[in-house]
Amino acid sequence: MARTIARISDLLVRREASTASARWIVATLVLSVVAWIGGLAILLVVANRTHVDIPRLLAVKLPLLKTNPELIFAGESRTAYGVDPVLAAQLLSQKPGYAINIGYDAGEPLAVLGAARLAPDVFAKAHVVISVAPFIFNDGVRSAGVYPQDVAARLSVGEQLVSYLPLRIGTLIRYIREAFDARLAQQERLAETAPQPANYGLTYISHTQAEGKWAARLGNHPHYANWNISGARARYETKALCDLAKLSRKLTVVIPPWAARYDRSSDPEWRERESEIVELVTRDGARCGFEVLNIPSVPDLRPENFADEMHVNATGVPIYTRYLVEQLKR
């Protein structure tokens, strides 16, 4: 009997020790998480104060403004890789430098507005043609590669943490990194001192995406994920377009085509979401005084002229540029 009692007592002591140990482990983990979030919050506060609206990718193209262009192609990657400013100038019977291309990957209207504020005299004399993509307005897309950095900078630290933790920590890390990099580019005065980009800003895509990597349909493309164009992105970016219209001689917002292999008539989700973007931008255009050019397709563009779902390859650049200029002349 005494042995049994001793064993039971020993088991209870061990259980209490194990419970206490587990509590310490949980407490340590909780404190570690709190400290980690606190550290991240401090970094975000510093990044928010450091951030400037012109990222490095745009800053290195701004020396092109020294040509005093009258036609400025701007916006996201479909402009950066798809519009030939030299050919555009030729089509308008103008010399090279009349048109420039300052588009860049994941480019956003807020950044172009920042450029216009940096060089108001140039933009005041220019027709600005800016392309937009679904991820510019869709709050549902939170991946690091395409999240508009200038929109992120306008959110409070609390909003940033709630929106992106725990699954999208990479988006916050990229924002912090880009904020410091943009400030460094400003301090280096790259917008003034960087070398003039080749081809007046156009970069060609020389490769074509492997056949197995093309999206089966565009309605479920990541740019349309968790569809929501009534949040902060749409609010800030459309306001930027309105402000840009005031600083430009003329502003045209372009909604470029997707690859020719896709059929809108058989993809209602894609068709409806693109229509919502057109409606959103058109409504603000009527209110703020800018034009909207919706290009669902280009007659002469073929599937082989595209590098991937969104971008034309080198063979598609002159076809798209000619069509775009023809539409702008109307």
Side-chain angles (χ1 to χ4, degrees):
M1 182 67 177
R3 290 181 179 178
T4 302
I5 293 174
R7 288 176 181 176
I8 293 174
S9 177
D10 184 55
L11 288 173
L12 290 174
V13 170
R14 290 182 180 181
R15 182 177 295 178
E16 288 178 0
S18 177
T19 301
S21 177
R23 287 174 179 171
W24 275 109
I25 291 173
V26 171
T28 301
L29 288 174
V30 170
L31 289 174
S32 297
V33 170
V34 170
W36 183 82
I37 293 176
L40 179 60
I42 292 173
L43 283 175
L44 288 170
V45 169
V46 176
N48 288 345
R49 294 180 179 178
T50 302
H51 174 86
V52 293
D53 282 344
I54 301 176
R56 179 179 291 269
L57 286 176
L58 176 57
V60 297
K61 282 196 163 186
L62 294 186
L64 289 168
L65 297 176
K66 295 177 182 178
T67 67
N68 292 311
E70 295 186 41
L71 181 58
I72 300 175
F73 293 105
E76 35 82 51
S77 54
R78 288 183 287 185
T79 290
Y81 303 118
V83 180
D84 184 347
V86 176
L87 175 58
Q90 291 175 353
L91 294 172
L92 295 169
S93 301
Q94 300 291 338
K95 297 180 180 179
Y98 175 87
I100 64 173
N101 183 335
I102 60 171
Y104 67 98
D105 286 339
E108 57 181 307
L110 279 166
V112 180
L113 176 62
R117 288 170 173 165
L118 185 67
D121 293 342
V122 176
F123 277 77
K125 300 175 182 178
H127 180 185
V128 179
V129 181
I130 181 171
S131 64
V132 293
F135 62 81
I136 296 294
F137 307 110
N138 180 18
D139 265 358
V141 179
R142 305 199 173 185
S143 57
V146 296
Y147 195 89
Q149 301 297 293
D150 293 342
V151 172
R154 284 158 173 78
L155 302 178
S156 68
V157 171
E159 289 173 321
Q160 291 169 336
L161 291 173
V162 170
S163 298
Y164 301 106
L165 291 182
L167 299 179
R168 289 298 183 181
I169 180 63
T171 302
L172 291 180
I173 292 174
R174 176 177 180 256
Y175 166 66
I176 293 169
R177 184 179 68 248
E178 292 289 338
F180 286 100
D181 195 38
R183 174 67 70 171
L184 182 60
Q186 182 190 63
Q187 293 174 346
E188 293 174 348
R189 299 176 61 203
L190 291 184
E192 303 170 20
T193 63
Q196 287 271 353
N199 305 315
Y200 288 89
L202 168 66
T203 301
Y204 290 99
I205 296 179
S206 58
H207 65 278
T208 299
Q209 186 169 258
E211 188 64 31
K213 294 185 177 181
W214 289 73
R217 52 191 297 273
L218 293 179
N220 56 8
H221 190 279
H223 288 350
Y224 299 109
N226 306 307
W227 187 244
N228 175 16
I229 59 171
S230 60
R233 290 196 197 186
R235 183 170 68 253
Y236 285 120
E237 299 291 10
T238 54
K239 183 180 185 304
L241 290 173
C242 289
D243 292 342
L244 185 59
K246 298 173 185 176
L247 298 178
S248 309
R249 176 172 61 82
K250 181 179 180 180
L251 175 64
T252 300
V253 178
V254 177
I255 303 172
W258 289 70
R261 66 167 63 193
Y262 297 104
D263 179 18
R264 290 172 188 261
S265 63
S266 61
D267 194 339
E269 283 185 303
W270 174 38
R271 185 174 63 250
E272 291 170 9
R273 287 167 181 173
E274 282 289 291
S275 296
E276 289 180 32
I277 292 175
V278 174
E279 181 180 350
L280 171 71
V281 180
T282 301
R283 183 174 64 245
D284 284 305
R287 179 171 59 87
C288 299
F290 60 80
E291 296 181 356
V292 176
L293 178 55
N294 179 31
I295 307 178
S297 63
V298 175
D300 292 334
L301 279 178
R302 302 287 182 259
E304 59 269 22
N305 300 131
F306 283 84
D308 55 37
E309 294 93 346
M310 295 186 73
H311 306 99
V312 293
N313 56 30
T315 67
V317 169
I319 300 172
Y320 177 59
T321 301
R322 288 179 184 278
Y323 184 84
L324 177 58
V325 171
E326 287 175 5
Q327 301 305 305
L328 294 174
K329 289 167 63 176
R330 291 184 178 180

